[in-house]
Amino acid sequence: MAPASRIAVVTGASSGIGAATARQLAEAGYRVVLTARRADRIEAIAEELTKAGHSATAYPLDVTDRAAVDEFATAFAAIGVLVNNAGGALGADPVATGDPAQWRAMYETNVIGTLNVTQALLPKLEASGDGVVVVVSSTAGFGTYEGGAGYVAAKHGEHVLAETLRLEIVGRPVRVIEIAPGMVKTDEFALTRFGGDKERAEKVYQGVAEPLTADDVAETITWTVTRPSHVNVDLLVLRPRAQASNTKVHREP
């Protein structure tokens, strides 16, 4: 591979799936660029990876700020991998009482953020001659559940973005991969969704023996990215064995 194709940009890399993906791509030999709003977090991870002998750089970035994203893109002539991981859920209220501000924030981060970074870096991915766009969506994008309409709508939008992009750039040297995780237990996802309510966040995983971990998802992302360049994993859905659907989960007593 040319050096440019060994550069991987990971958004939302300050924790959870993003941080785990940055670590695993670094271990796979990529020069990792970690982006997120929390500079201290990504700088600590970049330092950790550098001390371990890997190549890693931190770049504070809000993916919803288009001017900042465009400025970030000027740092590269070409890159090999973009992992669109920044996103998340806010609230679990029914449609009748949902907060429009939360819906708007989820759409801005999950959909517009992914659009911003993908548009800005797509020419750089193509310039590498062997680019990969990864969109980390969710099983929420494929099935509704009570209290989840805002998040489901945002993740469905993100899914459609990936699916349409794949159609539009077919024949160009860029693969488009979508990874759709189900129940993943991380330090922050549910806690953020419920405004810091630890008890409510823990109930999401209560009785589930082994929800997915951030490392499980990161390993899956790394596997798809490192397939031969003629192999495109269009969509990969992964769930813990205990989860049959968004609404059917086996819980131990």
Side-chain angles (χ1 to χ4, degrees):
M1 285 187 181
S5 66
R6 302 301 295 181
I7 299 174
V9 173
V10 182
T11 70
S14 59
S15 66
I17 293 169
T21 299
R23 290 185 175 102
Q24 292 202 26
L25 287 175
E27 290 172 2
Y30 285 89
R31 297 163 53 196
V32 177
V33 181
L34 301 94
T35 74
R37 289 175 297 180
R38 295 179 291 186
D40 58 333
R41 294 284 193 95
I42 55 174
E43 286 166 1
I45 297 169
E47 183 179 358
E48 166 203 322
L49 292 173
T50 300
K51 286 181 177 178
H54 304 303
S55 178
T57 304
Y59 191 106
L61 183 67
D62 179 349
V63 297
T64 67
D65 183 339
R66 184 55 187 257
V69 170
D70 286 342
E71 176 64 24
F72 168 67
T74 64
F76 307 95
I79 65 168
V81 177
L82 165 61
V83 180
N84 285 298
N85 170 73
L90 295 171
D93 297 319
V95 172
T97 57
D99 183 350
Q102 289 186 333
W103 282 53
R104 188 173 294 110
M106 285 188 283
Y107 192 85
E108 285 287 336
T109 305
N110 291 281
V111 183
I112 302 302
T114 295
L115 177 68
N116 284 341
V117 183
T118 300
Q119 285 184 337
L121 293 182
L122 191 58
K124 320 292 184 174
L125 289 155
E126 188 168 3
S128 77
D130 188 19
V132 184
V133 176
V134 177
V135 174
V136 183
S137 61
S138 168
T139 55
F142 304 97
T144 60
Y145 58 93
E146 292 169 294
Y151 182 59
V152 168
K155 284 302 185 183
H156 181 70
E158 198 173 19
H159 160 68
V160 169
L161 185 158
E163 190 173 56
T164 307
L165 177 64
R166 191 180 303 114
L167 294 172
E168 292 170 346
I169 66 171
V170 67
R172 292 155 67 178
V174 179
R175 292 181 284 159
V176 180
I177 295 168
E178 181 181 357
I179 305 296
M183 181 181 285
V184 185
K185 186 175 183 180
T186 63
D187 292 337
E188 297 186 340
F189 180 82
L191 195 63
T192 299
R193 182 170 202 167
F194 298 122
D197 187 333
K198 292 183 180 180
E199 184 177 352
R200 195 176 180 192
E202 281 300 319
K203 284 183 179 179
V204 173
Y205 312 103
Q206 188 172 6
V208 180
E210 292 183 287
L212 297 176
T213 67
D215 282 334
D216 292 330
V217 182
E219 183 177 0
T220 302
I221 293 169
T222 302
W223 178 80
T224 61
V225 166
T226 54
R227 294 310 84 206
S229 60
H230 71 287
V231 177
N232 196 94
V233 180
D234 285 11
L235 170 64
L236 197 158
V237 174
L238 65 156
R239 308 180 195 263
R241 187 174 64 189
Q243 184 183 31
S245 75
N246 290 347
T247 56
K248 181 71 172 180
V249 179
H250 175 70
R251 298 180 189 273
E252 302 288 344

